[in-house]
Structure formats: C-alpha cells, structure tokens
C-alpha cells in the first residue's frame, strides 16, 4: 500500500466519528439537498455503513486503488444499492453522486493535520473519491435504465389487451407504433389468449396504428402466421385508405389475410363464421 493510502487508512480508522459527523454535515449543507426525500437519520446510517466498508477496502494489501478489485465488492454493492434506491425515489444523478463527492472536504481537512507528503496523500484521496463518485454515477444511470425499461415493458403489456368478444372470438386492438419488441409481446399475448379461450377467430384491429410500413406489415403477418399455427384465423381491421395505398405501393401480399376497413365489419365477419345470424332491426321511424 502507498504511503498516501496508509495515511488515509489511519484517518478513516482513528478519526472515524469526526469524519462521519463532518461528512453528514457537508451533505446537509450541499446546495439543493433533498431533505424531503431522505431524513438526516437515514443519511447518517448510509454514511456510517459506507465508511465501514471503505475502511476495510482501503486496508487491503494489494490493488488498494483499483475499486473493481474483489476486495471492493462490499463498497460497490453499497453504492449500487444506494444509487438504485435514490433513482427510484427521484434523486437526480448529481444529487446521488454528491453522497460520495461531499466526502472530499471533511477528509481533506483531517488529512492536513497528518504527517508525511501532504501532496501525495491529497492526490491519493482525490483519486479514490473521484473513482467512487464516478462509479456511483454509472450505477445510477444503470438503475434509471432498468426502471425505464421495466416501465416500458409494463406499458407495452398494458397497451396490448386481448379481449374475448364471445365464445370462439377474441380481439386485439393495437394503438401506437409496432416494433420488434412490442410485436413479440403482442404475439405472446394473442397466442396465450387463443389457447385460454379456445378461440377459432382473432381480430387484430390497427385503427390506432398511425402508419404501416414494410416492417409493421411483416410484424402483422408474423402474428397472423403464429395464430394460424394455433388453429385460429385472423382478421385485420382498421385498413384505412391511406394504409391500403401504402400496402399496395410497398408490394405487400395480404391476399391470404382477411382485411376489413373497420372493426364493426370484422366483427360481422366473425359472427357469420361462427354461425351467428345477424338480424338488422328496423328503426322506429321506418315503422
């Protein structure tokens, strides 16, 4: 271990309580501190736990400055958990990284009173705190990406409801843009519902799909093919004039797929195929 790290370890061990108190004070004095999202007592517990892990990591005999070394696992785990928790609570990346960077000032003040090469010691402390701060920022971004990805998956599932209209017929109204990820969810939901309801007809309504290009059409054909393999015929409704022209210009072959301009027309076809008779009542004025 370098002389600078030896001095840092001595301060972390010998003046731990002083450092903890000054560090918590520095965090509470930071601009824009979010005391509405975290209490002082909770902040003190997190800081105390982090210092305990930090002391053990710094006291390692080798690779003391390499925070990716296995000896730093406990420190990284705490920073990852803290970043994930704060990302969920609504902290910004800067507010989260401040947890580590605010350790600099109180640590530097204590290091000034130590013996030895002060410049080398301060430089070692700077490298250490900066490395931990950058890791915290990266952990925060990973946590935010996980939250966003999970929310996107939940929205996709909510935006693809498969509704049972009556015995043997289900409908899937699509709203928004279709991409590969959403198409996979669509097919899984549709096939699962076909099995659950033992349906022979599935209506896929694309009235809410803004545009249909080659990729969207291919996704629809994949859904139709998958449904056929499960023993169900598909009817695609919501084919507006503009979409019909686009399909023709793209040279896409939907000749083997029943298509209708409206959901009502598709429901009528489904009723006829399932043996239901459609009776049109006369209006009161006509009588």
């Amino acid at each position: 271990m370098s002389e600078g790290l030896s001095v840092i370890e001595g301060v972390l061990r010998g003046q731990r309580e002083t450092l903890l108190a000054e560090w918590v004070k520095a965090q509470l004095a930071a601009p824009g501190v979010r005391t509405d999202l975290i209490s002082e007592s909770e902040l003190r517990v997190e800081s105390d736990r982090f210092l305990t892990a930090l002391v053990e990591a710094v006291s390692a005999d080798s690779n003391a400055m390499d925070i990716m070394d296995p000896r730093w696992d406990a420190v990284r785990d705490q920073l990852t958990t803290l970043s994930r928790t704060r990302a969920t609570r609504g902290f910004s990346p800067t507010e989260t990284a401040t947890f580590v960077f605010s350790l600099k000032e109180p640590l530097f003040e204590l290091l000034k009173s130590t013996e030895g090469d002060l410049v080398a010691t301060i430089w070692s402390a700077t490298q250490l705190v900066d490395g931990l701060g950058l890791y915290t920022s990266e952990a925060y971004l990973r946590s935010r990406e996980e939250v966003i990805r999970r929310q996107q998956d939940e929205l996709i599932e909510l935006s693809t409801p498969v509704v049972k209209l009556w015995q043997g017929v289900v409908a899937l109204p699509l709203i928004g843009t279709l991409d590969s990820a959403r198409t996979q969810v669509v097919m899984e939901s549709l096939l699962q519902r076909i099995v659950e309801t033992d349906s022979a007809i599935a209506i896929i309504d694309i009235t809410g799909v803004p545009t249909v290009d080659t990729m969207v059409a291919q996704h629809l054909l994949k859904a139709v093919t998958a449904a056929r393999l499960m023993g169900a015929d598909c009817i695609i409704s919501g084919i507006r004039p503009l979409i019909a022209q686009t399909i023709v210009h793209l040279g896409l072959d939907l000749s083997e797929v029943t298509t209708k301009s409206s959901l009502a027309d598709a429901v009528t076809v489904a009723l006829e195929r399932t043996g239901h008779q459609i009776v049109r009542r006369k209006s009161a004025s006509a009588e």
Side-chain angles (χ1 to χ4, degrees):
M1 182 187 297
S2 68
E3 179 182 348
L5 285 175
S6 298
V7 175
I8 294 172
E9 181 189 357
V11 169
L12 291 175
R13 290 186 180 277
Q15 303 186 61
R16 186 180 186 283
E17 293 304 317
T18 301
L19 178 60
L20 176 61
E22 292 301 316
W23 183 24
V24 172
K25 186 185 300 182
Q27 293 181 72
L28 294 173
V33 60
R34 299 299 301 272
T35 53
D36 57 323
L37 299 179
I38 187 171
S39 64
E40 181 177 349
S41 60
E42 188 177 0
L43 187 63
R44 179 176 291 274
V45 170
E46 288 182 345
S47 303
D48 181 68
R49 188 181 299 127
F50 176 77
L51 283 181
T52 299
L54 182 61
V55 171
E56 296 303 318
V58 172
S59 64
D61 294 332
S62 62
N63 296 329
M65 289 296 293
D66 183 8
I67 64 173
M68 300 310 296
D69 186 88
R71 297 174 184 266
W72 287 82
D73 285 349
V75 175
R76 294 198 309 275
D77 288 345
Q78 286 196 28
L79 291 178
T80 299
T81 301
L82 179 140
S83 299
R84 183 183 300 112
T85 302
R86 296 199 173 190
T88 304
R89 290 185 177 182
F91 282 84
S92 70
T94 300
E95 292 165 347
T96 303
T98 297
F99 172 80
V100 174
F101 288 124
S102 60
L103 179 61
K104 272 188 179 182
E105 184 176 358
L107 179 59
F108 287 2
E109 287 297 322
L110 294 177
L111 290 174
K112 287 180 181 179
S113 60
T114 60
E115 299 180 354
D117 189 345
L118 180 59
V119 174
T121 301
I122 294 295
W123 175 243
S124 296
T126 299
Q127 287 182 298
L128 179 61
V129 175
D130 286 352
L132 294 172
L134 291 175
Y135 181 86
T136 303
S137 298
E138 292 173 355
Y140 175 93
L141 293 176
R142 288 195 299 270
S143 299
R144 285 298 301 163
E145 289 174 356
E146 291 175 2
V147 171
I148 293 172
R149 188 159 47 246
R150 184 173 64 253
Q151 291 175 340
Q152 288 177 335
D153 292 341
E154 292 172 353
L155 287 174
I156 288 176
E157 291 179 1
L158 290 173
S159 64
T160 56
V162 183
V163 183
K164 179 181 178 181
L165 299 181
W166 61 87
Q167 184 60 41
V169 180
V170 294
L172 173 61
L174 296 176
I175 299 175
T177 303
L178 283 177
D179 55 20
S180 299
R182 189 181 179 198
T183 301
Q184 184 64 32
V185 175
V186 166
M187 284 197 293
E188 291 177 358
S189 300
L190 180 61
L191 298 180
Q192 183 63 31
R193 194 63 173 152
I194 288 173
V195 172
E196 291 175 354
T197 60
D198 192 25
S199 297
I201 296 178
I203 300 174
I204 301 178
D205 183 66
I206 62 171
T207 303
V209 178
T211 58
V212 173
D213 54 17
T214 304
M215 183 164 292
V216 172
Q218 289 176 348
H219 290 329
L220 289 174
L221 290 176
K222 287 181 181 178
V224 171
T225 302
R228 282 178 176 171
L229 292 174
M230 300 300 296
D233 288 331
C234 284
I235 303 173
I236 299 179
S237 63
I239 306 294
R240 302 185 299 277
L242 181 59
I243 291 180
Q245 293 177 22
T246 302
I247 291 175
V248 171
H249 289 315
L250 293 174
L252 300 175
D253 184 14
L254 297 181
S255 59
E256 296 184 2
V257 182
T258 302
T259 60
K260 293 295 178 181
S261 60
S262 68
L263 179 59
D265 292 337
V267 170
T268 300
V269 173
L271 283 169
E272 293 173 346
R273 288 187 181 180
T274 52
H276 292 78
Q277 185 176 3
I278 301 175
V279 179
R280 302 184 182 279
R281 295 182 178 180
K282 295 182 179 180
S283 63
S285 59
E287 296 176 352

